[in-house]
Amino acid sequence: MKIFITGGTSGIGWALTEYYLNRGHQVGICGRDLKKLPEVSKFFLGKGLTCFEVDVTDRVALMGVIKDFAKGKLDLLIANAGISQGDKSSYPKFSSAREILKINLDGFLNTFEAGFNIMEKEGGHLVAISSVAGLVGLPGAAAYCGSKSAVLKICESYSIDFKKFGIDVTTIAPGFVDTPLTRKNKHPMPFLMDPKKAAIKISKAIDKKKSLYIFPLRMKFLMILLEKMPRSLYRYLMSFSRFAYPSHYEKGNNQ
Ligand SMILES: NC(=O)c1ccc[n+]([C@@H]2O[C@H](COP(=O)([O-])OP(=O)(O)OC[C@H]3O[C@@H](n4cnc5c(N)ncnc54)[C@H](OP(=O)(O)O)[C@@H]3O)[C@@H](O)[C@H]2O)c1
């Protein structure tokens, strides 16, 4: 298969890249800084791996890179690139919120647009890495939850709309995975997973062409419980101090 993964230089993206390379697939990846690539990536250069330094928010550049890699045929495209705020706070930081939405939402749309343009005639499979955080509005993580929730809903619509083009759409909503993104977190991370194990689970869901895959199971139950409960009860539970983040931004420094 010919596969392109955005944000393939680190964490879940690299684990997926390695998984597919080890099974003989041709994989193109991108990130803003290729120096982030692990040492082992050198082994795969010229043996199925192609790397591009591009920002997913640069629509034209991203489309050029994916088109260049695909050369008219792309089987699988995984919109994985994303960021979260490392310094969660109950005091809003609007500049960081805009940056999160730009990468996690605009970047995802740019990626799907590039994939759709290539797959429109011959079909293919578009995958988005959302998050269990997209199921609810978690305190201190408004923009991250909002971006991942938008990805979930957009993909639900696309999974219906794109059927007639022969394009499958899968949304993946992982719980906590041990990557540079989560290593910044100071709060507890229940059911934390190894990225290689997460990549296996994600690839199985992709093989089965699931429209939505939430994992691990215990996190799925917990988050669905939080999603379905009366919102007044949810807000009450989340207002307990153990869920609250420090309001450590100085007032007037929230742009
Ligand atoms: N780890 C978790 O627990 C978890 C849980 C649920 C969902 N997710 C989602 O899974 C995805 C991967 O996260 P991760 O945990 O593997 O994080 P990570 O290790 O920090 O990897 C993120 C990847 O995205 C790339 N990236 C970030 N911004 C980019 C941009 N503007 N343009 C191009 N590439 C960009 C990064 O490379 P550069 O910085 O060099 O560009 C890196 O390759 C994210 O969408 C994240 O929200 C993660």
Side-chain angles (χ1 to χ4, degrees):
M1 279 203 295
K2 221 167 179 186
I3 303 166
F4 196 93
I5 304 172
T6 66
T9 58
S10 158
I12 297 172
W14 173 253
L16 282 166
T17 301
E18 209 175 8
Y19 176 90
Y20 286 116
L21 285 169
N22 281 326
R23 279 150 190 83
H25 300 290
Q26 229 181 304
V27 187
I29 61 171
C30 75
R32 291 165 299 181
D33 178 8
L34 292 185
K35 289 195 284 299
K36 274 191 187 166
L37 273 162
E39 201 53 28
V40 65
S41 64
K42 290 189 184 133
F43 169 79
F44 293 106
L45 289 171
K47 294 179 195 153
L49 176 65
T50 317
C51 307
F52 301 91
E53 205 161 64
V54 69
D55 190 321
V56 291
T57 63
D58 187 340
R59 179 176 162 269
V60 175
L62 181 71
M63 286 174 98
V65 153
I66 297 179
K67 206 171 159 192
D68 181 35
F69 171 76
K71 300 198 169 45
K73 175 76 184 149
L74 191 60
D75 300 288
L76 175 63
L77 174 61
I78 306 179
N80 164 76
I83 59 165
S84 71
Q85 63 273 58
D87 49 351
K88 295 188 177 84
S89 168
S90 58
Y91 194 74
K93 178 104 174 162
F94 293 108
S95 60
S96 125
R98 279 187 207 97
E99 182 68 7
I100 289 168
L101 286 166
K102 201 170 152 199
I103 295 176
N104 294 5
L105 189 50
D106 285 359
F108 145 76
L109 276 175
N110 294 341
T111 307
F112 264 39
E113 184 181 5
F116 181 84
N117 288 346
I118 296 162
M119 294 175 183
E120 189 179 357
K121 288 201 181 81
E122 289 190 39
H125 196 161
L126 295 172
V127 176
I129 308 295
S130 174
S131 167
V132 291
L135 296 169
V136 292
L138 291 166
Y144 186 73
C145 293
S147 69
K148 293 300 181 181
S149 175
V151 169
L152 276 170
K153 297 300 173 202
I154 292 170
C155 285
E156 187 167 38
S157 298
Y158 283 165
S159 69
I160 305 160
D161 294 339
F162 292 1
K163 270 274 173 247
K164 57 179 166 294
F165 301 101
I167 301 173
D168 296 296
V169 176
T170 297
T171 318
I172 306 289
F176 291 113
V177 182
D178 184 13
T179 70
L181 181 134
T182 46
R183 272 170 226 146
K184 297 181 289 195
N185 290 344
K186 293 178 186 82
H187 54 78
M189 292 186 280
F191 322 126
L192 185 70
M193 268 173 303
D194 172 73
K196 287 191 180 184
K197 283 190 185 148
I200 294 170
K201 285 180 178 292
I202 293 170
S203 69
K204 282 186 179 157
I206 293 173
D207 288 348
K208 289 181 187 159
K209 300 196 168 162
K210 288 193 173 199
S211 54
L212 173 62
Y213 178 57
I214 307 171
F215 73 104
L217 204 58
R218 285 181 295 176
M219 184 59 110
K220 177 180 173 175
F221 287 141
L222 176 66
M223 296 307 287
I224 288 179
L225 181 73
L226 292 175
E227 184 198 20
K228 303 288 180 210
M229 71 173 49
R231 300 333 282 156
S232 52
L233 176 60
Y234 173 77
R235 278 195 299 275
Y236 173 72
L237 289 176
M238 288 295 139
S239 66
F240 287 146
S241 58
R242 64 174 296 199
F243 296 114
Y245 295 108
S247 55
H248 59 262
Y249 292 124
E250 279 172 39
K251 282 199 174 148
N253 181 27
N254 63 358
Q255 295 307 299

